[in-house]
Amino acid sequence: MIFNTYWFIGFCAVFFPVFWLLRLPGLRRTWLLAGCAYFHYHFAGPAGVLPIVAIGIATYLLALPRIRLLCALGVVLAVATLCFYKYAVFLCHDAIGLLAPRLAADLGRQVQDLLPGAPPLAVSFFVFEFVHYQIEVYRGHEPIRRPDDFILFAIHFPSLTAGPIKRYGDYLPSLRQGLTGVSPEDVAAGATRLALGLVKKVVLADNLTLVIDFHQPQFTSLPPGQAWLFAGALSARILLDFSGYSDMAIGLSRMMGIRLPENFHYPYAATSLQDFWQRWHISLTSWIRDYIYIPLGGNRHGLARQLLNAMIVFALCGLWHGPAWNFVLWGLWHGAGLVLNHAYPRLLGPLGTRLAGLFARFPVLGWALTLLWVIPGWLLFFYEPATAWRMAVKLFTFA
Amino acid sequence: MKPAASRLGSWLLLAGIAAGFLLACGEGHRAAAYSKPRAFTRFHQRISPDASFYPPYAMLEALALARWAPGKTLVIIGGNSILNGVAQPESEVWSLRLQEMLGDRYVVVNLAFRGSMAAQGGALVAESLQRRGYPVIFVANTYPHAGCGRAADGPYGYFYWQALHQGKLSDYPARTADLQRWRTARPEAERIKLAETELGARIEAVTRAQSLWVHVSYRHLFTVWNFILGRDFWRPRVWAPDNEPAAPPVEERFRHEPEAELATVRGFTETLYVPGPSGSPQLDPAWPTRLGDEIEAAFVPALRPRMLMLLSQSAPPYLERLTPAERSRNRAAYAAAARIWRDHGINTIVAGEGFAASDYFDRLHLTGEGGRKVAALVAEQITQMNSD
Amino acid sequence: MPAFLAKFRSTLTLRLLGRFVLGLAIGVLFHYLLYRFFLPVQPFIYVAF
C-alpha cells in the first residue's frame, strides 16, 4: 500500500499545492516537516513512530559532539534496535533453537512479550540511514547541526518506507535547493517519473502478482515452458514492483525539487553478477559496499579473503530483507555466484582464461548466464527453501 | 532544448496533465449517466466482482432507469446469488419470468449480486429512486439468522459510500448512527479499509474514474488479469456472455459435501435457539429486538411498505435429513422471522416451502423451474402490494 | 526566415506539442489509476522490509 492508496492521493492533493505556493524557504521547510511527520504517523501509528523517534534522537545527539566513541555507540544502538525489533524472534527460534531448543523457547516467549505485533514501519531503512550517518561523522565528516534538517533526512516521506537509502551529504544540499525554489522542470520531470512508477507497479506488477498467485499452487503441474514463464513473471514482478516504488519516491521528491539517488539501472541487462549488483537496489548495494564490505577488508587481502567477504556481505544482505533462512540462502546464492564470477579464471587455469575471453567477446553469453543465476534466486527470495528447491529442480530438469 | 523552451515544455506538460485529467473526469461524468451492460438480464459472473468487474453505483441506477417510462412501476431486485439467478441459464433467470408474469406495467431490474446482503446494492437504488419520486418496489432475500446486513459492509459496501457521497440517499440518522457504532467497533485494519473505501467514494463523486474505466473495460479493453477469464482477460467484457450452465439431472445434485451442507442448513435456524427455562430449546428472546434494530437501521421507513422480503428456504433433500424436532424448529424459526420482518412494516414470504428437490440446483440455488415458482409467488405479492 | 531556422522552429513546435500530448496521456493515466486503486490493492513488496 502506502503510495497506491486514496489516503495518499488526498495527502498529495493538499501537500503539494501548498508546498509550491509557499515561497519562503522557512515556511516550506515547516510544511515539509509537518507533511513528513503526518505521513509517518499515519502509516506507522504511535507504536511504529516511538522507537524511530527514540533512536533518531539518540543518533542526532550522539553524532553532534563528533566524538568517535559516541558515533560507534550510535551505530551499536541503531543495529541493536534493528536486531531487537526484527531479528530477536528469529535469533531465538532459528539460531539458538538449533543448539538449545528449551532455552530458545523460553527466550522466545520473553522476547515475544516485549515486542509489538510488527516491527516499526521501515525500521531496516531507518537503521541503515542512521548507521551511514554515524559512520560518516565517525570518519570526520560534519554532523547535521539543525535538528529539523536531521528530522527531514530521517523521515523524508517519499523515501521513508522503502528507500532509496539516502546519504545525508547528498540529501541536505538538494533539500536546500528544493526549499529555495522548485522549477516547473522539476515538477514536470517528477510527475512523469511518478507516472512511470505507478504504471510499473499498478498496471504491470499487480497484474503479474495476480497471475503468480493463481499459478503458484499448481507450479509442480505446469509444463516446463510455463514453469519458466512463471519464474520469469516472478522476476519481472519484483523488478517492476520495487523499481516502480523507487520511481515514485524519486518522482515525488523531484516534484519538491529534491533529488534522491537512483536505485535501479536496467538490472536484467547485466552481463555478469557483479554488473547485476551495480544495477539492482543500488542504494543498498553501495551502502553494503561502503559500510560492510570495505571495512571487512574488501579486496585488499587476497582472493580468498575477498571471496569470504563477499559471502559474509551477501548473507547479511539477504538477512536484511527479512528474518528467515530463505533470505539468508538467497544472499548466499548471490554471494556464491559472485565468488564463482571472480574466481573461475584462476580456478580453471587456461580454460578459465579462454572462458573469460569468450564472455568478453560475446556479452550475450554473460547476460544469459547472469539471468540463469538471478531468476532461480528469486525462488529462494519468495518461498521457503524446500519449496524453492522443488521449484528449481522442476525448472532445471524440465519435468 | 534551450532553457526558455525547456521551461515552456515543462509548463505545457503540466498543463497537459491537468487538461488530460479534467477531460477524463468530464468523460467519467458522461459515462456515469449512460454506461451500462448491453441487453442486461443480471450481473452474471463475468460482469461481477468475482471477475474483477466492479460496477459503480451510478451503473445500477442507469440500469434501473434504462427501461422505465412514466406509468410503470420499477421492481428492483436486490439480495444474493439466489435472486441473482445463479444456477439458472440466462434464458431461465427467474426475474425474466417475473417480468413476463407482471406484464408491461412493471419494469423488473435484477441488481442482485452473489454474496450481497439485502440492505446493499439494489436497496440503495430503490431508496434513491423512491426519494426522487419513482414508483418503486424492492424485492430482496435473506435467511432467518442472517438479518439484512449493513449497507457499508463487505465487498459491496462501496455502493453505499458512492450513493451517499453522490447525494442519492436520504438523511437517515438511524442508519448513520448504526454505521458509526459498527465502524468504531471494527478492528483497526478494517477501520482503515473502510476509511479508504469511503475516501475512494468521495473521490469517485468528483472524478467518476470508476464509471469511465469500468465503461472502457466493458466496451473496449479490460486491464486486470482474472483467473475466470484467463488468457482472455484483456477482452472487453461485452464479449463475455452470461454462461451460467444449466442444472445437471436431479440425481447428480446435492452430492457436494453433504454433511457440511446439512450442518449449514441446521445453522440457519438452530443458532437462533437458546435453552429455555425447562432446558428445551426456545427461540432466543433477544433475537426479535436484535433483528428489528438491524431492519430499522437498514431501510428508510418510506421504503419498507414497498419492500418484499423473501426468506429463502433450503432444499428438501437437506430438510428431510433433519430430525423431526429440528424440522419443526426450522419451520418455527422461519415463521418467527417472517413475523419480525412484517412487524417492521415489510411484506415477507418464505420462498421454497413446498418446493420439490428438482426445483433446487444445490442447497439454496434454484433451477429455472424453481425460479419460475418464486417468480409466481413474488408476482402475486407485488400485484397485491401495488393495488393496496 | 532562413530554412534552417524554420526547420528548428518547426522541430521545436513539434517537441512542445509532444510535451503537451505526453502531459495529456499522464493526466488520463492518473485518472485511470484512481480506478485501479479502487480494485483490491497489492502492497509493495519492499514496504515489508
Side-chain angles (χ1 to χ4, degrees):
Chain A
M1 304 258 253
I2 308 280
F3 290 156
N4 48 351
T5 55
Y6 288 122
W7 184 91
F8 188 67
I9 303 273
F11 172 84
C12 287
V14 176
F15 176 81
F16 278 103
V18 176
F19 185 87
W20 294 324
L21 285 172
L22 292 172
R23 295 285 165 176
L24 294 174
L27 286 178
R28 256 192 192 159
R29 174 187 285 272
T30 311
W31 181 245
L32 177 58
L33 207 58
C36 291
Y38 184 44
F39 178 94
H40 188 198
Y41 184 80
H42 176 80
F43 283 113
V49 166
L50 280 176
I52 302 302
V53 168
I55 190 74
I57 291 172
T59 303
Y60 173 72
L61 293 177
L62 288 171
L64 265 186
R66 300 178 71 182
I67 299 168
R68 298 179 80 176
L69 186 69
L70 291 181
C71 292
L73 182 66
V75 172
V76 171
L77 211 63
V79 174
T81 306
L82 181 63
C83 289
F84 174 69
Y85 280 110
K86 206 166 160 183
Y87 300 106
V89 174
F90 174 74
L91 284 173
C92 289
H93 287 299
D94 294 70
I96 303 173
L98 296 177
L99 307 168
R102 284 187 61 184
L103 173 71
D106 287 347
L107 265 175
R109 265 194 301 278
Q110 285 172 25
V111 165
Q112 207 100 51
D113 290 343
L114 291 172
L115 283 171
L121 180 73
V123 63
S124 312
F125 287 93
F126 278 112
V127 165
F128 268 39
E129 288 189 349
F130 291 162
V131 168
H132 135 76
Y133 174 63
Q134 294 283 13
I135 294 179
E136 289 305 319
V137 176
Y138 179 96
R139 287 174 177 171
H141 290 101
E142 190 64 24
I144 302 174
R145 297 278 166 205
R146 291 183 59 151
D148 52 351
D149 270 354
F150 183 82
I151 297 170
L152 283 173
F153 166 65
I155 58 168
H156 181 70
F157 80 82
S159 61
L160 186 149
T161 43
I165 300 166
K166 306 184 293 298
R167 304 290 178 105
Y168 80 101
D170 300 328
Y171 174 75
L172 289 181
S174 185
L175 169 72
R176 289 203 181 96
Q177 211 170 349
L179 296 178
T180 321
V182 188
S183 67
E185 285 93 329
D186 279 331
V187 180
T192 310
R193 191 73 185 266
L194 174 67
L196 176 69
L198 283 163
V199 168
K200 281 185 182 176
K201 163 65 182 166
V202 180
V203 181
L204 303 173
D206 283 356
N207 261 337
L208 283 174
T209 299
L210 293 169
V211 177
I212 290 164
D213 288 351
F214 179 72
H215 286 103
Q216 200 273 320
Q218 323 149 25
F219 182 81
T220 45
S221 54
L222 289 178
Q226 281 189 32
W228 274 99
L229 268 180
F230 176 90
L234 207 62
S235 312
R237 190 266 301 258
I238 179 134
L239 172 65
L240 291 165
D241 187 288
F242 189 24
S243 75
Y245 187 97
S246 295
D247 286 334
M248 287 179 227
I250 291 166
L252 287 163
S253 207
R254 183 78 189 271
M255 284 167 75
M256 295 183 264
I258 303 167
R259 309 268 183 146
L260 291 182
E262 289 296 332
N263 228 8
F264 291 89
H265 184 65
Y266 305 107
Y268 292 149
T271 53
S272 71
L273 216 49
Q274 194 180 3
D275 188 18
F276 174 79
W277 279 103
Q278 282 162 0
R279 294 160 174 266
W280 180 274
H281 204 171
I282 299 165
S283 66
L284 174 70
T285 325
S286 58
W287 189 99
I288 288 174
R289 180 198 62 211
D290 294 346
Y291 302 118
I292 305 181
Y293 180 68
I294 292 174
L296 277 176
N299 56 5
R300 301 190 301 278
H301 304 287
L303 184 64
R305 178 71 182 276
Q306 182 188 353
L307 301 182
L308 176 69
N309 288 344
M311 292 304 280
I312 294 170
V313 155
F314 272 92
L316 289 174
C317 170
L319 196 60
W320 176 85
H321 285 85
W325 286 116
N326 63 310
F327 287 121
V328 179
L329 290 173
W330 172 75
L332 288 171
W333 171 257
H334 275 273
L338 276 167
V339 165
L340 277 177
N341 194 30
H342 261 81
Y344 81 88
R346 286 206 218 168
L347 286 176
L348 299 179
L351 176 67
T353 318
R354 272 208 299 280
L355 269 177
L358 199 66
F359 285 130
R361 207 154 1 124
F362 302 106
V364 71
L365 289 176
W367 170 75
L369 267 183
T370 305
L371 280 187
L372 275 177
W373 197 269
V374 170
I375 290 175
W378 291 127
L379 299 175
L380 272 173
F381 189 89
F382 285 109
Y383 305 108
E384 293 281 301
T387 312
W389 172 251
R390 276 198 302 275
M391 292 167 92
V393 167
K394 180 179 167 62
L395 282 179
F396 286 98
T397 54
F398 298 94
Chain B
M1 273 202 251
K2 287 183 174 172
S6 160
R7 178 151 289 214
L8 179 60
S10 299
W11 277 118
L12 280 172
L13 186 126
L14 294 172
I17 292 176
F21 189 79
L22 289 174
L23 278 173
C25 290
E27 204 46 47
H29 277 272
R30 265 166 37 83
Y34 67 73
S35 174
K36 56 190 173 295
R38 283 181 190 161
F40 179 79
T41 305
R42 60 170 159 187
F43 283 103
H44 60 81
Q45 192 189 32
R46 298 198 283 181
I47 53 167
S48 76
D50 290 10
S52 304
F53 186 92
Y54 287 82
Y57 172 80
M59 185 182 274
L60 305 192
E61 280 208 2
L63 280 167
L65 292 174
R67 291 187 295 119
W68 183 81
K72 295 189 179 197
T73 299
L74 268 169
V75 177
I76 292 168
I77 295 163
N80 62 25
S81 53
I82 300 175
L83 296 197
N84 173 277
V86 165
Q88 295 159 11
E90 191 181 18
S91 60
E92 295 177 25
V93 174
W94 79 281
S95 48
L96 293 178
R97 300 292 85 80
L98 179 65
Q99 178 69 75
E100 289 163 9
M101 291 171 191
L102 289 172
D104 284 348
R105 286 180 50 232
Y106 293 85
V107 175
V108 178
V109 189
N110 189 335
L111 301 180
F113 286 91
R114 290 157 191 256
S116 177
M117 301 292 286
Q120 302 175 332
L124 305 168
V125 177
E127 177 185 327
S128 163
L129 295 183
Q130 189 192 41
R131 195 172 155 236
R132 283 149 62 191
Y134 291 93
V136 168
I137 287 176
F138 175 56
V139 183
N141 74 317
T142 186
Y143 319 105
H145 73 301
C148 52
R150 282 186 177 83
D153 194 8
Y156 302 101
Y158 73 92
F159 287 138
Y160 170 74
W161 297 116
Q162 290 189 356
L164 181 75
H165 293 299
Q166 287 165 26
K168 302 291 186 188
L169 301 180
S170 325
D171 180 20
Y172 185 41
R175 176 169 55 201
T176 314
D178 175 66
L179 284 178
Q180 190 54 42
R181 272 195 305 275
W182 167 75
R183 207 170 163 168
T184 316
R186 299 284 89 196
E188 197 194 347
E190 258 186 69
R191 281 206 307 275
I192 292 171
K193 222 170 142 190
L194 273 170
E196 266 294 290
T197 311
E198 184 179 2
L199 184 58
R202 280 179 190 275
I203 292 173
E204 174 65 12
V206 180
T207 63
R208 300 296 180 143
Q210 198 184 346
S211 281
L212 175 61
W213 296 103
V214 167
H215 177 72
V216 170
S217 309
Y218 184 74
R219 295 288 290 271
H220 306 291
L221 174 75
F222 206 87
T223 53
V224 186
W225 188 86
N226 184 271
F227 73 95
I228 292 172
L229 276 295
R231 284 183 181 174
D232 288 321
F233 82 92
W234 57 272
R235 297 182 79 159
R237 288 296 163 86
V238 65
W239 157 85
D242 185 338
N243 62 349
E244 192 72 33
V250 70
E251 56 275 12
E252 289 174 26
R253 300 179 212 161
F254 316 112
R255 287 180 179 179
H256 177 70
E257 297 183 0
E259 293 314 310
E261 293 284 80
L262 184 62
T264 309
V265 170
R266 260 192 207 106
F268 271 29
T269 48
E270 289 295 300
T271 48
L272 297 171
Y273 284 88
V274 291
S278 61
S280 58
Q282 65 167 37
L283 278 167
D284 182 357
W287 173 48
T289 316
R290 208 165 55 228
L291 178 57
D293 288 350
E294 207 177 316
I295 295 168
E296 292 287 328
F299 304 106
V300 290
L303 186 63
R304 286 182 222 155
R306 305 289 292 169
M307 277 177 65
L308 174 61
M309 187 57 61
L310 310 183
L311 296 176
S312 298
Q313 183 55 284
S314 306
Y318 297 101
L319 293 178
E320 283 157 12
R321 288 187 59 200
L322 296 176
T323 63
E326 283 172 342
R327 261 206 300 276
S328 132
R329 285 200 293 272
N330 176 288
R331 268 197 303 276
Y334 268 84
R339 266 198 309 280
I340 299 170
W341 281 91
R342 284 185 201 122
D343 286 347
H344 291 274
I346 293 168
N347 304 284
T348 307
I349 51 174
V350 178
E353 254 174 11
F355 282 23
S358 58
D359 294 329
Y360 283 83
F361 167 80
D362 55 20
R363 176 169 54 80
L364 286 170
H365 299 109
L366 298 158
T367 58
E369 200 41 51
R372 182 187 291 276
K373 288 184 180 172
V374 168
L377 281 172
V378 171
E380 188 189 335
Q381 290 287 322
I382 286 178
T383 316
Q384 199 180 326
M385 280 163 68
N386 226 19
S387 61
D388 285 348
Chain C
M1 186 190 293
F4 79 91
L5 203 59
K7 194 178 167 196
F8 173 75
R9 278 191 63 175
S10 65
T11 314
L12 188 68
T13 312
L14 264 182
R15 275 195 183 186
L16 291 176
L17 188 68
R19 297 285 282 171
F20 182 72
V21 172
L22 175 65
L24 278 177
I26 293 175
V28 173
L29 173 79
F30 283 157
H31 191 262
Y32 166 76
L33 290 166
L34 288 178
Y35 152 71
R36 286 301 298 264
F37 288 4
F38 170 80
L39 304 178
V41 169
Q42 305 284 337
F44 283 93
I45 293 169
Y46 261 68
V47 170
F49 305 132

